[in-house]
Amino acid sequence: MRRERVPALIGVVSGLLSVLLAVAVNVATGGSLPPPLDAVAWLSWPAVGVLAAVVVGLAVWQQRLTTSPSAGAADGREEAGRPAELPAAPGLTGRARDLAAVDEALEQRYGVVTFVGPPGVGKSSLALRVAHDLRGRYPDGQLFAALRGASADPAAPEAVLARFLGAMGVAEDERRGAVENLAARFRSELADRKVLLVLDDARDAEQVAPLLPGDAGCLAVVTSRRVLAGIPGSATHLVGGLDPAEGLALLTEAVGADRAAADPDAAVRIVRACGGLPLALRIAGGRLRARVSWQLADFADQLEDERQRLDALRLGDLAVRASFDASYEELPAVDRLVFRRCGSHPGQIFGSAAAAALAGREPPAVTAALERLVDAQLVESPAPGRYRLHDLLRLFAVERTEAEDTPEVRVATLARLLDLLTGHAAVGNWLADERENVVAALRQAVASGLYEPAWALASAVGPLLSRAEDHVDRLPLWHAAAEAADALDDDPRRVRALLQMSYACRNSGDVTAALDSATRALSVAERLGGRPALAEALLCHGEALRDLYRFDEAAEALTRAVVLYAELGDEEREIQAGTALGALYMAFWHADEAVEVLERAVALLPAQDSVQHAWTIGGLSTAYRLSGRRGEAIALNERALRIARAGGGDLFALGYQLAGRAWLAHEDGRTDDALTDMREMLTVFERMRHSTGAGLALEGIAGIAMAAGRHDDAIEASEAAAVRFDRTGDRVRAGRVRLQQAVALAEGGRTDAAGALWRTADALIGDAEPPEVPRLRDRLREILGDRSPSGPGPTADGATGRPG
């Protein structure tokens, strides 16, 4: 019965009581009633008694409703009903893994699920989406509190509890007291109920603990920027950024499918610049949605400029920078220092020693700060002792460094890092962990004018990059070293750096760039006049010329190198120069000259096998094959392969010895064995990311397939080879393999395509003279006849064709 209805009912009953009382008194004093009522006149006094009892009962009930606290609470609870405080359900793109983690936690009967992640990663949206999906399981209500943990004024637990109790109908005078009393009262109210709580943006476990239900039928979903340790019965799930596909879906949803589809490359660039951070993607999408005339590419360009990125990611009150700043400002001073200095680390992943060098503090203190930053989700730890920053957080850290550290301090910070890297340079785990950091640090050092430290680091790390596949890092390392040598105007260092750049370019397959660096090195070496440097420059220059089929110049340079090394008594380098000269002779099918040079080089080899043995013996094997000495060729090839595979092996040597065995099998008519070896060669060079080696393997596959009449396979392999040579700008090899592809097209009956490709090939080859080319052109003339391209074009002039 509602309190406001009781007085009215009392008034009605009292009125009836007065009437009946008057009637009863009238009958009792001898009065009479109308004839229809006279028969029931005897009921007047009993009716008066009943009504009097009702009036008394109603009066007592009204008093209880007015004075009873428990009755007031019950009445208030009825007024309030079930709390339903959840904000509107947000849209959610992707997040299947995160939602699955919640399902797993519920299956394991966890009462608290905590989403932890960096600012802007979408923890709140995820928590609300989960809460809306689960609200049907909690019929007694849903409570929501924004705890403002990342702000300077976090919500007090007692204030949140008082509001929760009010939402559940508890009387106002029972919503006062210390936090412990309020928490106990809150748990009592939740007992035997099924209530869902969402506690957003928690600061720490101390803030959250009093707000958690004690009843197993309730669930609390908590979000925080740091791991909340010490909460019993809690399942913690780390929320990361969206993967590229999810990020693209979110951006597409924001800007519209038609607009995203109109420039998919720009859309991908925007997603990449936002680093998978939902806040950044929503801001980017919102800005584009409000600017319908903007091209996605223009906005992508703006985001890719790191100096503008954080400025561009602002929309109204939303800003990525502001989200980061709130977390940064709440850090202790030492953590702020470590965070912003780590942002200036030139690489992606760094160790605690590097962070200590950047911060200029003792390693134990810096390691402790890093671990606190990991807990605060401002730094990630992909492995024990290794750390990294999200791209947008790194840009924010750089901004803080530029705002809080002077230019002199920033240069000194980088110098400490360079000294650390130089002093610890070593093969093994250090090189595996730091090689990318070294290259990045060298670029930054040169840009900052730290030329001597840059040279010292390159000199320490360069010799460690000794594997064939290390060319990926060797080239940028020595490029930075060459810039430092130029700035220092140091010719001996310049020669060394240029030679190393040329070798790295050759290893990567960029033969044109290799010749350019070798030519510059040779010019400086000749000016200096030192014979060891001159001999090395001649060797490097000759090999680069050989790769471009400039036979006469290459033969001159390599012969001079062999003579100089012999005069210097450097047998190791004389062997290397002799092997290179023998390879030149073989490339132009001068088998007898190759045998003579390579036999002399093999005679100089020491007794102990090495990688140089694989190259030199393998080269002599090919020379014997070209000169018809097959038995000796097979034996030497087997030995070279064993050496190339031994002790972890040398991938370059292994790849080329596999090619030698493939051609031997092909000459024996074992086509499948030959193709198997060529495919293994392809795998080796693809693993090394060596386009020229992969292109040569594909060219070999095409030649063997064409000889076996498998024209479609030959065409496919030739096209793939041409792509590899195009990738490195090797026009001559790209033209040669297209000429081979034209022959396969012509033999397969596709003469029009063959003629068109022939013209393309000739334009690429130009005036170079690869020995295989005349034979291929003659074959095309034989098939195409009058449809051959016009123009001079060299003839075979007695060429025997490429062996195999």
Side-chain angles (χ1 to χ4, degrees):
M1 182 179 293
R2 297 183 63 86
R3 183 186 308 171
E4 63 271 17
R5 296 175 183 172
V6 177
L9 189 59
I10 291 176
V12 171
V13 176
S14 297
L16 290 174
L17 178 62
S18 299
V19 172
L20 283 175
L21 184 60
V23 170
V25 171
N26 179 55
V27 171
T29 57
S32 62
L33 295 175
L37 297 176
D38 193 52
V40 293
W42 64 274
L43 290 175
S44 59
W45 284 109
V48 168
V50 169
L51 286 175
V54 169
V55 169
V56 172
L58 288 173
V60 172
W61 182 245
Q62 182 187 29
Q63 180 66 21
R64 290 186 61 192
L65 290 175
T66 303
T67 59
S68 171
S70 59
D75 183 48
R77 186 176 298 129
E78 182 178 340
E79 286 186 6
R82 295 176 306 164
E85 297 186 346
L86 294 181
L92 197 67
T93 301
R95 298 299 190 188
R97 185 179 66 87
D98 303 288
L99 295 173
V102 175
D103 290 340
E104 182 179 351
L106 293 177
E107 288 177 4
Q108 297 178 19
R109 305 187 67 79
Y110 281 101
V112 182
V113 177
T114 304
F115 292 120
V116 179
V121 81
K123 304 180 296 295
S124 298
S125 295
L126 179 61
L128 285 174
R129 180 69 269 170
V130 166
H132 276 278
D133 290 345
L134 295 176
R135 63 186 303 175
R137 303 187 192 182
Y138 300 93
D140 295 320
Q142 303 89 40
L143 296 168
F144 176 86
L147 300 183
R148 306 192 305 276
S151 73
D153 182 30
E158 53 269 35
V160 176
L161 286 167
R163 191 181 65 73
F164 279 176
L165 288 168
M168 298 182 69
V170 174
E172 183 176 354
D173 58 355
E174 291 192 31
R175 296 181 241 150
R176 304 188 183 97
V179 64
E180 295 84 1
N181 295 333
L182 289 171
R185 200 163 300 144
F186 180 56
R187 289 192 294 271
S188 296
E189 287 294 324
L190 293 179
D192 299 323
R193 298 191 186 189
K194 292 184 179 294
V195 175
L196 173 65
L197 294 85
V198 177
L199 306 174
D200 187 42
D201 193 17
R203 183 183 187 88
D204 50 33
E206 184 178 358
Q207 183 191 34
V208 170
L211 310 178
L212 298 177
D215 194 277
C218 297
L219 174 68
V221 179
V222 184
T223 74
S224 178
R225 299 188 181 191
R226 61 181 70 234
V227 175
L228 305 179
I231 296 180
S234 172
T236 298
H237 178 68
L238 299 180
V239 182
L242 300 174
D243 64 34
E246 292 173 336
L248 185 59
L250 179 57
L251 182 68
T252 300
E253 178 184 303
V255 303
D258 292 344
R259 199 170 175 192
D263 194 348
D265 291 340
V268 169
R269 289 165 56 204
I270 292 171
V271 171
R272 187 185 305 120
C274 291
L277 204 64
L279 173 62
L281 286 163
R282 293 188 186 280
I283 291 174
R287 294 201 70 191
L288 287 167
R289 189 168 58 248
R291 295 159 175 81
V292 294
S293 62
W294 280 26
Q295 299 295 319
L296 264 63
D298 294 332
F299 190 57
D301 292 342
Q302 188 176 354
L303 289 179
E304 286 177 346
D305 183 347
E306 292 190 348
R307 297 167 298 178
Q308 300 185 55
R309 191 177 302 171
L310 291 179
D311 289 329
L313 292 174
R314 174 186 292 275
L315 179 66
D317 294 334
L318 289 177
V320 171
R321 182 187 286 112
S323 179
F324 293 164
D325 196 56
S327 293
Y328 178 76
E329 290 300 328
E330 73 173 14
L331 296 174
V334 65
D335 293 11
R336 291 200 299 270
L337 171 68
V338 171
F339 170 75
R340 69 174 185 267
R341 294 282 177 82
C342 286
S344 67
H345 190 282
Q348 294 294 319
I349 299 177
F350 53 88
S352 55
L358 291 168
R361 297 289 189 273
E362 291 299 317
V366 172
T367 299
L370 284 169
E371 291 301 318
R372 290 193 296 270
L373 289 167
V374 171
D375 292 339
Q377 297 296 299
L378 291 174
V379 172
E380 301 173 22
S381 182
R386 306 292 291 172
Y387 304 92
R388 68 183 173 205
L389 273 68
H390 184 280
D391 277 353
L392 293 176
L393 279 166
R394 177 181 57 80
L395 293 180
F396 174 76
V398 169
E399 282 190 352
R400 300 316 310 157
T401 298
E402 291 175 350
E404 300 181 41
D405 293 340
T406 65
E408 294 77 15
V409 168
R410 296 200 295 271
V411 171
T413 296
L414 178 59
R416 289 195 299 270
L417 177 63
L418 294 170
D419 289 344
L420 175 78
L421 292 171
T422 302
H424 289 76
V427 295
N429 291 337
W430 183 91
L431 185 61
D433 287 341
E434 302 294 344
R435 58 195 303 152
E436 292 181 2
N437 293 335
V438 165
V439 172
L442 280 170
R443 292 195 188 101
Q444 194 165 320
V446 171
S448 302
L450 295 171
Y451 303 121
E452 283 290 355
W455 180 266
L457 179 56
S459 298
V461 177
L464 306 180
L465 300 173
S466 58
R467 299 180 304 167
E469 58 268 36
D470 288 339
H471 66 84
V472 175
D473 297 312
R474 191 183 300 124
L475 180 57
L477 181 143
W478 286 109
H479 186 274
E483 289 187 87
D486 286 340
L488 295 168
D489 196 22
D490 189 320
D491 278 344
R493 290 177 176 179
R494 188 179 286 125
V495 170
R496 182 183 175 193
L498 288 169
L499 290 175
Q500 293 297 330
M501 284 175 60
S502 180
Y503 288 132
C505 286
R506 286 188 61 243
N507 288 344
S508 68
D510 191 347
V511 293
T512 304
L515 179 60
D516 177 67
S517 295
T519 301
R520 291 166 57 197
L522 180 59
S523 175
V524 178
E526 286 177 331
R527 184 173 72 247
L528 290 174
R531 294 205 299 170
L534 178 59
E536 185 172 1
L538 285 166
L539 172 58
C540 183
H541 193 241
E543 290 185 305
L545 288 165
R546 181 193 66 203
D547 288 343
L548 289 169
Y549 294 96
R550 292 163 61 172
F551 177 81
D552 292 337
E553 297 168 89
E556 179 185 358
L558 292 172
T559 300
R560 286 181 63 192
V562 170
V563 171
L564 269 175
Y565 280 126
E567 292 174 355
L568 291 167
D570 189 339
E571 289 189 349
E572 181 180 352
R573 301 294 280 174
E574 183 183 352
I575 293 168
Q576 186 176 350
T579 302
L581 181 57
L584 172 68
Y585 285 137
M586 287 187 290
F588 285 84
W589 302 343
H590 300 312
D592 293 340
E593 292 92 332
V595 168
E596 180 181 352
V597 170
L598 289 165
E599 284 183 339
R600 185 165 62 247
V602 168
L604 293 173
L605 287 170
Q608 184 65 37
D609 284 345
S610 66
V611 172
Q612 184 59 58
H613 285 66
W615 283 107
T616 307
I617 292 170
L620 183 56
S621 169
T622 301
Y624 281 158
R625 178 173 66 83
L626 293 177
S627 62
R629 298 163 64 173
R630 291 187 52 77
E632 294 166 284
I634 292 171
L636 288 179
N637 176 258
E638 290 176 353
R639 182 182 173 192
L641 272 171
R642 283 198 304 272
I643 296 170
R645 293 186 191 274
D650 180 272
L651 294 181
F652 260 127
L654 175 60
Y656 285 113
Q657 302 323 308
L658 286 167
R661 188 168 73 178
W663 289 120
L664 285 165
H666 175 62
E667 290 176 356
D668 288 342
R670 295 183 286 114
T671 299
D672 290 341
D673 290 343
L675 289 173
T676 297
D677 280 335
M678 281 296 182
R679 291 188 182 110
E680 185 179 352
M681 175 188 178
L682 175 61
T683 300
V684 167
F685 283 116
E686 291 283 19
R687 172 183 164 191
M688 293 166 54
R689 293 185 286 175
H690 187 265
S691 293
T692 294
L696 291 172
L698 287 162
E699 187 178 11
I701 290 170
I704 293 168
M706 189 162 60
R710 304 177 186 177
H711 295 109
D712 289 342
D713 292 343
I715 292 167
E716 181 181 356
S718 296
E719 179 60 32
V723 169
R724 301 314 195 276
F725 295 138
D726 286 339
R727 188 180 297 164
T728 63
D730 191 342
R731 293 172 58 86
V732 177
R733 287 193 173 105
R736 185 183 69 193
V737 76
R738 283 188 168 89
L739 206 59
Q740 182 185 50
Q741 186 180 2
V743 171
L745 287 166
E747 290 182 347
R750 298 162 62 181
T751 54
D752 290 341
L757 194 57
W758 183 356
R759 285 188 288 272
T760 300
D762 278 354
L764 289 168
I765 294 169
D767 58 358
E769 300 178 359
E772 304 91 333
V773 166
R775 175 181 63 85
L776 294 171
R777 284 177 174 146
D778 281 351
R779 178 58 178 152
L780 284 169
R781 289 189 184 94
E782 179 184 339
I783 300 172
L784 299 180
D786 294 339
R787 287 167 294 179
S788 302
S790 59
T795 59
D797 293 331
T800 59
R802 182 176 186 178

